């Protein structure tokens, strides 16, 4: 890991109702109190956000929304606006998760619009990227992730890009128990950082954090997090219990 501040984020997906989410968050607060400068963020379902915001109050743990629309409001039944997420205490917006891309028709361009909307509302975008197994087998990893990255960043200014967090999540490693090896992950993280270095002033690539996601567990976190371009983890299944998530935070 570099001198970028490590960040461990939990993506709770469609799990943990408000009562359950508050219980996990409350258990997590003391369990990660000795985390040093490692940052911790939680992404509950939108309905559980207020309960989690309240449970982590004063702990330094931050909260994010899993999905926003690109418009601030209007006739868009069923979604969340970035400003409203901010108003209930969110600091982050998760954008472009592969489940959104695969199950809900999220496009590269849509991701770019949502990044802009998040920044406009004062939310920190966490942008997910990653290839499918077919794309990896076809040798298209670099092509796919840099295409996703370019579309996510669009015409943002360098100082805006520098505030983003990326999460490289190979689709074949999400929820499958199959983790990318540290070498496989580091290789793609280095590709993303090199792309940033080629397109923006040097401080941008130095500053942007790139998390790894995909079956991160207490047993594999330390090895992944020791890679030079891996600045943290986006954790799904293992973030649903305070003890396993805390163990990953301590690995950082
Ligand atoms: P997983 O999910 O840790 O359960 O593989 C990661 C994610 O989808 O963000």
């Amino acid at each position: 890991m570099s001198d970028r501040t490590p960040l461990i984020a939990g993506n709770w997906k469609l799990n943990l109702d408000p009562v359950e989410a508050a219980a996990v968050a409350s258990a997590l607060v003391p369990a990660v109190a000795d985390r040093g400068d490692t940052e911790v963020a939680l992404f509950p379902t939108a309905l559980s956000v207020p309960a989690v915001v309240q449970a982590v109050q004063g702990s330094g743990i931050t909260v994010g929304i899993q999905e926003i629309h690109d418009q601030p409001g209007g006739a868009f039944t069923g979604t969340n606006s970035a400003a409203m997420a901010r108003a209930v205490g969110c600091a982050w917006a998760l954008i472009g998760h592969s489940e959104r891309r695969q199950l809900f028709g999220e496009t590269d361009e849509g991701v770019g619009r949502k990044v802009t909307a998040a920044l406009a509302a004062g939310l920190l975008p966490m942008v997910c990227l990653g290839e499918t197994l077919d794309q990896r087998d076809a040798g298209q990893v670099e092509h796919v992730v840099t295409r996703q990255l370019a579309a996510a960043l669009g015409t943002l200014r360098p100082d805006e890009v520098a505030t983003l967090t990326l999460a490289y999540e190979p689709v074949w490693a999400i929820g499958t128990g199959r983790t990318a090896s540290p070498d496989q992950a580091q290789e793609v993280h280095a590709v993303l950082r090199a792309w940033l270095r080629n397109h923006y002033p040097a401080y941008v690539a130095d500053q942007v954090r790139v998390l790894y996601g995909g079956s991160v567990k207490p047993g594999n976190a330390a090895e992944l997090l020791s890679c030079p371009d891996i600045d943290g983890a986006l954790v799904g299944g293992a973030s649903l219990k305070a003890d396993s998530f805390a163990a990953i935070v301590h690995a950082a």
Side-chain angles (χ1 to χ4, degrees):
M1 204 151 8
S2 66
D3 54 2
R4 290 174 288 276
T5 306
L7 170 61
I8 307 296
N11 173 13
W12 288 352
K13 309 190 180 185
L14 188 48
N15 297 293
L16 305 181
D17 71 21
V19 172
E20 295 162 337
V24 175
S26 298
L28 195 62
V29 169
V32 300
D34 60 345
R35 65 190 180 277
D37 64 0
T38 297
E39 289 178 27
V40 176
L42 297 172
F43 291 85
T45 72
L47 293 172
S48 294
V49 161
V52 172
V53 167
Q54 196 181 359
V56 301
Q57 207 170 16
S59 70
I61 296 174
T62 51
V63 179
I65 188 107
Q66 295 176 12
E67 166 62 9
I68 55 166
H69 192 58
D70 61 24
Q71 296 299 309
F76 304 106
T77 302
T79 187
N80 309 299
S81 91
M84 291 180 198
R86 184 103 181 89
V88 295
C90 286
W92 302 89
L94 196 63
I95 302 175
H97 190 278
S98 66
E99 286 152 18
R100 299 298 316 175
R101 294 178 191 261
Q102 293 198 313
L103 305 174
F104 299 97
E106 185 76 279
T107 62
D108 286 346
E109 292 66 35
V111 169
R113 287 193 296 273
K114 290 178 182 187
V115 169
T116 300
L119 288 172
L123 292 179
L124 293 165
M126 184 180 291
V127 179
C128 303
L129 316 161
E131 81 286 358
T132 63
L133 191 55
D134 283 350
Q135 290 167 332
R136 175 163 282 266
D137 289 344
Q140 295 173 345
V141 177
E142 179 164 351
H143 170 76
V144 170
V145 297
T146 56
R147 185 202 71 216
Q148 291 173 334
L149 180 57
L153 304 186
T155 56
L156 296 182
R157 297 188 312 267
D159 61 300
E160 293 173 317
V161 176
T163 67
L164 299 196
T165 300
L166 306 179
Y168 169 58
E169 299 203 305
V171 177
W172 47 272
I174 294 177
T176 58
R178 190 174 156 190
T179 319
S181 71
D183 285 349
Q184 284 174 320
Q186 165 58 29
E187 192 181 355
V188 181
H189 283 236
V191 163
L192 294 169
R193 205 173 304 282
W195 190 93
L196 290 171
R197 214 171 280 293
N198 286 336
H199 290 81
Y200 298 97
Y203 77 92
V204 174
D206 290 339
Q207 220 167 298
V208 168
R209 288 185 288 193
V210 188
L211 314 185
Y212 170 78
S215 299
V216 176
K217 304 180 274 275
N220 61 23
E223 205 187 356
L224 286 159
L225 293 167
S226 68
C227 297
D229 286 296
I230 300 184
D231 306 313
L234 179 56
V235 185
S239 72
L240 294 171
K241 295 213 163 74
D243 55 352
S244 57
F245 190 55
I248 295 169
V249 172
H250 288 125

